[in-house]
Amino acid sequence: MGKITIDPITRIEGHLKVEVVVDDGEVKDARSSGTLFRGFELVLRGRDPRDAQRITQRICGVCPTTHATAAALNLDSAFGVDEQIPDNGRIVRNLILGSNFIQSHVLHFYHLAALDYVDVTAVADYEGDDPALNSVKAFISRGELGPFAPRYEGDYRLSPEANRAATANYLKALDARRKAHEMLAVFGGKMPHNVAVVPGGVTQPVTVDKITSFLWRLNDLRDFIDHVYIPTVLAVAEAYTDYFEVGAGCGNLLSYGAFELDGQEPDLLKRERFIRGGRISRDNLVLQEVDPTQITEQVRHSWYDDAITDRSPAEGDTVPRLDKDGAYSWLKAPRYDGQVYEVGPLARMVVAYARGDEPAKALVDSVLGQFNAPVEALFSVLGRHAARALECKLVADAMADWVLQLKPDEPVCADYELPEEAQGVGLVGAPRGALGHWIRIEGGVIANYQCVVPSTWNLSPRDDRDQPGPVEQSLIGTQIKDEANPFEVVRIVRAFDPCLACAVHVLDARGQERARFRVL
């Protein structure tokens, strides 16, 4: 029996360590450890409530837009303007959020996950006039594989032609992400950390020039999604069909939904949203609603004081305790009614499928039909990649309609007054999953602020009942062919799109280090 420790495990953002105990080639146990204390909740105490949508964006440089959205929804409810957002303000928020969805999904597949399946060294034999591939070829000839290396070796299954096409698409995806950032900045002012989303709506007035500028970039991105992104995902799936049976996880999915279509309902989860919320289990695929009062955070195995365990985030606290016995992560363990839930594009697409949403159902059925796979196959590594790509298309296509619903020169923001005492909640779907912000205002300033982010759900440690988190459960039972090249582990974890980062060393059962790797 030996242990594989991968630290860090992602190619960007944050600090995540994953440890798996392997016996006779099978993962018997797994631990997901967040190795960095966040502390933004402490920074916010005593500040003007309007600072929240500025400061919380700094939690993440990849998806700050969703923190701006959750913070604004949170403050809308606390300030009592949640039913007064002008249509222009609601739509512009959707367009800003959707732009971030597109860039984040493209980033994840091409630049954070695809290199686990694509062998860029196939470009060494390329004979053609594509300048991008010739540039990569020149790097390879000089022994310079960055940013494609260091990497694990072996188990690359795509044909040389498919590998070259995927490498070229890696470079095209960089340009697509740039366009998505530019598109967001049309209404958001800048990316990262947009300055347009505020309580009551947005600050950016709508003009015909802005609509035109946004739309032409969006149409280019829709073409990329349809003709590059989705085909690349399907090509990988065809070569790695066994990954429809790997990484099933906890089997419970939860979504808050996203993109407001009607701002007149104060209960966020009862609003009409383009992507609707819900809960569903792989065991029976029966759709259920989400009750935010059933959400708690548990800390038995987290570096926080036990006195704050199993509390609603509205009553939560952030009390670090690094010397705590049995703890192994800075992440708390979010639970719904005491149960483990996965969040993310997979959750949103399966919930949409169960609700009978026609565009989502048609896309999912098309992919499942191509592989003669049942709906249950979505609970897998490839299911997560497919769900993310299909959601990207759904959102991009919807945005083409939303931008044309804008009305130049009409209001974009509602007036409000700062309350002396108030509470609020903001729940929204982020690219990586369900994101929640909770605030309590006392004396006109923030008395408490709590964020429960998607990667906290998915990468959580064991909870008060010793239930492993979603990623931990997805790893247990996995077969590892080569402990020196644990492809299976990184493919499973990266399919969740963790917004944390990690490096790799391998130990034997006696704790002796055998080798050390760094995976970028």
Side-chain angles (χ1 to χ4, degrees), residues 274 276-277 280 285 287 348-365:
F274 174 68
R276 298 176 62 188
I280 200 163
L285 296 177
L287 186 66
R348 291 192 291 264
M349 290 299 292
V350 173
V351 166
Y353 189 92
R355 287 191 180 278
D357 180 272
E358 291 184 6
K361 195 172 188 305
L363 287 173
V364 172
D365 282 338

Side-chain angles (χ1 to χ4, degrees), residues 37-205:
F37 174 60
R38 186 173 68 205
F40 273 81
E41 294 85 351
L42 303 180
V43 172
L44 285 162
R45 288 179 184 172
R47 301 186 71 103
D48 187 308
R50 292 168 296 186
D51 288 346
Q53 80 267 11
R54 299 279 75 83
I55 292 175
T56 58
Q57 287 192 71
R58 274 68 186 173
I59 290 174
C60 179
V62 176
C63 49
T65 307
T66 46
H67 283 290
T69 304
L73 292 171
N74 192 14
L75 298 179
D76 288 344
S77 63
F79 297 172
V81 293
D82 45 352
E83 300 176 61
Q84 302 169 31
I85 312 301
D87 283 342
N88 271 354
R90 172 182 58 80
I91 294 168
V92 169
R93 282 183 178 181
N94 285 345
L95 296 174
I96 290 173
L97 180 60
S99 299
N100 189 234
F101 262 66
I102 293 172
Q103 79 81 20
S104 183
H105 286 350
V106 170
L107 163 70
H108 168 256
F109 181 72
Y110 282 102
H111 306 128
L112 305 183
L115 295 178
D116 295 332
Y117 307 90
V118 176
D119 185 4
V120 296
T121 62
V123 177
D125 299 325
Y126 174 70
E127 297 293 340
D129 56 5
D130 186 310
L133 291 181
N134 280 322
S135 294
V136 175
K137 180 179 178 179
F139 277 109
I140 293 174
S141 68
R142 297 195 299 268
E144 300 173 7
L145 270 178
F148 309 113
R151 63 176 195 164
Y152 292 120
E153 299 299 331
D155 198 31
Y156 291 114
R157 307 179 194 172
L158 295 176
S159 68
E161 295 78 12
N163 276 314
R164 287 193 285 268
T167 302
N169 292 340
Y170 176 102
L171 300 170
K172 291 177 182 177
L174 292 171
D175 185 59
R177 288 190 58 228
R178 176 184 59 80
K179 287 181 180 176
H181 283 319
E182 291 175 348
M183 189 169 69
L184 189 156
V186 169
F187 289 113
K190 68 186 184 77
M191 174 64 191
H193 314 316
N194 83 84
V195 292
V197 176
V198 294
V202 296
T203 61
Q204 190 66 252

Side-chain angles (χ1 to χ4, degrees), residues 213-255:
S213 179
F214 189 96
L215 187 58
W216 80 258
R217 288 178 171 85
L218 176 60
N219 286 335
D220 278 354
L221 287 166
R222 292 173 70 194
D223 184 70
F224 174 85
I225 293 165
D226 288 344
H227 298 109
V228 179
Y229 181 13
I230 292 177
T232 306
V233 172
L234 294 178
V236 168
E238 288 174 354
Y240 296 87
T241 54
D242 51 319
Y243 277 83
F244 275 120
E245 300 176 359
V246 174
C250 65
N252 297 324
L253 304 176
L254 181 146
S255 166

Side-chain angles (χ1 to χ4, degrees), residues 34 49 55 69 107 142 173 202 235 248 283 308 389 394 412 435 474 510:
I55 292 175
T69 304
L107 163 70
R142 297 195 299 268
V202 296
D283 294 337
I308 64 173
L394 287 174
V412 295
L435 172 62
S474 73
R510 294 174 297 280

Side-chain angles (χ1 to χ4, degrees), residues 449-479:
Y449 204 101
Q450 293 292 313
C451 303
V452 181
V453 305
S455 289
T456 310
W457 283 96
N458 290 336
L459 302 168
S460 71
R462 283 162 168 73
D463 58 24
D464 291 3
R465 295 162 56 191
D466 277 331
Q467 296 178 111
V471 163
E472 294 176 335
Q473 291 192 37
S474 73
L475 290 166
I476 295 171
T478 299
Q479 296 295 317

